[in-house]
Amino acid sequence: MSQEISKRLAQAIALAERNVTVGGGPFGAVLVTASGRVFEGVNRVTEDNDPTAHAEVTAIRQACRELGTFSLEGAVLYASCEPCPMCLASSLWARLGRVYFAADRFDAARAGFDDAAFYRYFEGGARELMPAEKVETAAATTPFERWAERADRVEY
């Protein structure tokens, strides 16, 4: 493992530990853009009453807001723990180039976090967590058609 990876993972872990001392969740993330700018995030779920305010998402949000872009192509995310499915999807949508993490979903599960169950859900199991089904609706694709018709749309 390179010194940069070790350094950034240690930084993410330190953020997570510090966040615990102030009452936050035990998760930290460091995002380094392709140009070298560094953004940090911690879990703010309980502080913000926002179930999407995971460390990785808060780092991505901060970087996008400060850089004025929705694409972080080539950026690297260093997380204190394996990103949950939402954070992985956010990383994909942000077009990150790579993700490194320290602890994994099973470590998180032993501490009481249900990421492992969410992974099972997306793998086709644990459907009792939340049923989801497609309902045939006549106008379902109309918004996509309207969007595709717009010459001034911003692709993402």
Side-chain angles (χ1 to χ4, degrees), residues 30-40 58-76 94-96:
V30 177
L31 187 144
V32 181
T33 67
S35 67
R37 293 216 29 209
V38 178
F39 299 89
E40 297 179 348
T58 61
I60 290 169
R61 286 176 181 164
Q62 179 188 5
C64 289
R65 189 172 40 253
E66 288 189 29
L67 297 172
T69 184
F70 57 83
S71 176
L72 299 172
E73 190 171 340
V76 178
R95 308 294 190 240
L96 301 186

Side-chain angles (χ1 to χ4, degrees), residues 42-150:
V42 295
N43 182 286
R44 298 197 44 84
V45 169
T46 56
E47 292 84 354
D48 294 350
N49 291 319
D50 179 354
T52 69
H54 290 198
E56 300 90 336
V57 173
T58 61
I60 290 169
R61 286 176 181 164
Q62 179 188 5
C64 289
R65 189 172 40 253
E66 288 189 29
L67 297 172
T69 184
F70 57 83
S71 176
L72 299 172
E73 190 171 340
V76 178
L77 180 69
Y78 302 87
S80 64
C81 186
E82 181 177 7
C84 73
M86 176 188 69
C87 292
L88 280 176
S90 298
S91 297
L92 287 165
W93 276 111
R95 308 294 190 240
L96 301 186
R98 182 177 292 267
V99 175
Y100 294 102
F101 58 89
D104 65 23
R105 66 184 89 164
F106 306 106
D107 298 318
R110 283 191 291 279
F113 293 91
D114 50 10
D115 298 39
F118 294 166
Y119 273 97
R120 283 195 310 282
Y121 179 88
F122 285 107
E123 291 165 353
R127 289 297 178 195
E128 70 280 0
L129 289 175
M130 182 189 70
E133 67 181 277
K134 180 180 180 183
V135 177
E136 294 299 326
T137 306
T141 61
T142 304
F144 297 117
E145 293 162 11
R146 297 299 160 264
W147 186 79
E149 292 167 357
R150 293 192 62 109

